[in-house]
Amino acid sequence: MTPPPGSPALAVLGSTNMDLVAYVPTAPRRGETVTGSAFRTVPGGKGANQAVAAARAGGAVSMIGAVGADDLGARLRVALTEAGVHTDGLRTAPGASGIAHIVVDDEGGNSIIVVPGANGTVTGLADGDEDRIAAAGALLLQLEIPLAGVLAGARAARRHGVRVILTPAPAQPLPPELLSLTDLLVPNEHEAAALTGRDDPHEAAAELLTLVPEVVVTLGAAGSLYAVRGAPPVVVPARQVRASDTTAAGDTFVGALAVASGEGCAMPEAMAWASAASALSVQREGASASMPYRAEIDALARSGPLTGSGPLTGSGHGSRRKKLNPGS
């Protein structure tokens, strides 16, 4: 990808956590104790992860959210600043910062417990936040802060004509108003199934297009699916690598995708570039610590074209599961 001059301005409204990561051969079952091989504390949270990913990919990024009045909060602020993220919109709330307890097994899989802490106080915009959103080309949202805060950000973006990119994670019922304010929805295949009741990504994307104008469904090792109203869906394959830690793969993809899209790339090209970023991240341990820099992404993206890109054909007979009812 050859970007035009200048860095796309992005705002991220979301969570900032300290990840407490334990590495184990096999994740423990209920009631079981296992011996781990390593433990790390790594700055994370879906909002901060996407901010760091976008900044390292070449975006000019402003983070909006909250950390606690504790040592973890100070460390999180420093980590974001060192990653090149503007933190004027990162407020300090009384009490503890958010944390995520993450168990990573030898296959690179993970299980996560999130304790929101200060993130739970982000129920609306603070002074200056609307200006930060208005100055951006796109606003990145996730669901690790209260929905009231997510909606406040989306409304501000709509008032100023700013593109809204929503990652619906953790999966939960979405208010119809939030969907109406979303320009691009980026669920993984499990979140898409939870939202629609459709296990088949082709069918899930088609149903989601009745709610939002554009959808990118990430499919793990199978790549990602782009669907837009009025055109056939396209699947972009993933780069095949051996994963050691998939914790921040999705956030890395979204951050890089927002940068490439903001630079004017067509969506399939932006997805292929974001796939290269994600492929680099899963080969490294940690969340924000695993995220690649622009030069690394460009180098991998230039290493050879992806094969198999083209229309995704579906049988039309995918199984149905119970979907999440829209929120009130």
Side-chain angles (χ1 to χ4, degrees), residues 48-143:
N49 285 347
Q50 292 185 6
V52 170
R56 289 187 176 181
V61 185
S62 293
M63 180 71 202
I64 303 170
V67 294
D70 56 6
D71 176 64
L72 293 181
R75 290 169 60 187
L76 289 165
R77 188 180 296 276
V78 168
L80 283 165
T81 301
E82 289 179 344
V85 176
H86 300 288
T87 59
D88 291 348
L90 190 65
R91 65 193 87 159
T92 300
S97 297
I99 65 99
H101 181 274
I102 304 174
V103 176
V104 181
D105 63 34
D106 281 352
E107 298 298 318
N110 63 72
S111 57
I112 305 174
I113 300 171
V114 175
V115 182
N119 296 303
T121 69
V122 186
T123 56
L125 300 181
D127 290 344
D129 287 348
E130 183 153 350
D131 291 338
R132 295 180 184 95
I133 293 170
L139 172 66
L140 278 60
L141 298 170
Q142 322 78 35
L143 303 177

Side-chain angles (χ1 to χ4, degrees), residues 49-270:
N49 285 347
Q50 292 185 6
V52 170
R56 289 187 176 181
V61 185
S62 293
M63 180 71 202
I64 303 170
V67 294
D70 56 6
D71 176 64
L72 293 181
R75 290 169 60 187
L76 289 165
R77 188 180 296 276
V78 168
L80 283 165
T81 301
E82 289 179 344
V85 176
H86 300 288
T87 59
D88 291 348
L90 190 65
R91 65 193 87 159
T92 300
S97 297
I99 65 99
H101 181 274
I102 304 174
V103 176
V104 181
D105 63 34
D106 281 352
E107 298 298 318
N110 63 72
S111 57
I112 305 174
I113 300 171
V114 175
V115 182
N119 296 303
T121 69
V122 186
T123 56
L125 300 181
D127 290 344
D129 287 348
E130 183 153 350
D131 291 338
R132 295 180 184 95
I133 293 170
L139 172 66
L140 278 60
L141 298 170
Q142 322 78 35
L143 303 177
E144 285 186 343
I145 61 172
L147 275 174
V150 177
L151 271 167
R155 290 170 185 146
R158 178 57 58 88
R159 283 194 291 272
H160 296 281
V162 174
R163 180 173 170 83
V164 172
I165 301 174
L166 173 63
T167 304
Q172 59 184 278
L174 299 180
E177 182 188 4
L178 179 57
L179 289 166
S180 73
L181 296 170
T182 297
D183 298 295
L184 172 63
L185 188 69
V186 191
N188 65 27
E189 56 190 318
H190 307 294
E191 292 150 2
L195 288 169
T196 64
R198 299 277 187 176
D199 288 324
D200 181 273
H202 185 279
E203 296 180 358
E207 189 161 330
L208 289 170
L209 284 182
T210 67
L211 305 171
V212 297
E214 284 185 278
V215 178
V216 171
V217 182
T218 59
L219 307 171
S224 53
L225 162 67
Y226 175 58
V228 62
R229 292 171 181 168
V234 172
V235 66
V236 175
R239 292 180 178 271
Q240 300 304 306
V241 298
R242 180 171 177 78
S244 62
D245 184 352
T246 60
T247 301
D251 294 328
T252 300
F253 181 92
V254 173
L257 182 73
V259 170
S261 178
E263 290 173 348
C265 291
M267 191 59 73
E269 182 185 5

Side-chain angles (χ1 to χ4, degrees), residues 264-321:
C265 291
M267 191 59 73
E269 182 185 5
M271 291 160 63
W273 196 73
S275 176
S278 186
L280 288 164
S281 77
V282 301
Q283 297 177 77
R284 306 166 180 174
E285 295 181 347
S288 59
S290 72
M291 294 173 173
Y293 290 89
R294 176 88 186 208
E296 298 176 283
I297 304 171
D298 283 340
L300 181 58
R302 288 194 301 264
S303 67
L306 293 170
T307 59
S309 181
L312 178 68
T313 57
S315 67
H317 300 289
S319 61
R320 285 190 71 93
R321 69 171 65 175

